[in-house]
Amino acid sequence: SDGGKLLVVPMLGSHWLSMQEVVVKLSERGHEVVVVVPEVSWQMETAAQSYKVVTYPVTQSLEELDK
């Protein structure tokens, strides 16, 4: 974190919920944070963030993930 840049690739669901607060705090402290998330996911809300979000395409739909 001394470099001021952080790349975050959270796993689905609870991993992101645990990490999100830390990511926000680091961003607020001036770190450049990029979060890479799938286009379709559970509980990975990234609206109104202080960090950059990059999405990548996935082959499954949300309905398929629910199954």
Side-chain angles (χ1 to χ4, degrees):
S1 65
D2 279 344
K5 296 183 179 187
L6 180 65
L7 176 64
V8 179
V9 186
M11 306 316 293
L12 293 177
S14 64
H15 292 94
W16 174 240
L17 295 175
S18 300
M19 294 179 66
Q20 190 173 20
E21 186 175 340
V22 173
V23 169
V24 169
K25 290 294 183 190
L26 286 171
S27 181
E28 289 173 353
R29 292 181 182 181
H31 294 275
E32 182 182 342
V33 180
V34 177
V35 178
V36 181
V37 298
E39 289 177 333
V40 175
S41 63
W42 295 306
Q43 302 174 353
M44 304 238 354
E45 294 179 27
T46 54
Q49 70 277 358
S50 56
Y51 45 85
K52 182 177 180 179
V53 175
V54 177
T55 61
Y56 61 90
V58 293
T59 58
Q60 67 269 54
S61 67
L62 189 56
E63 292 80 25
E64 290 173 314
L65 282 177
D66 287 339
K67 291 178 185 176

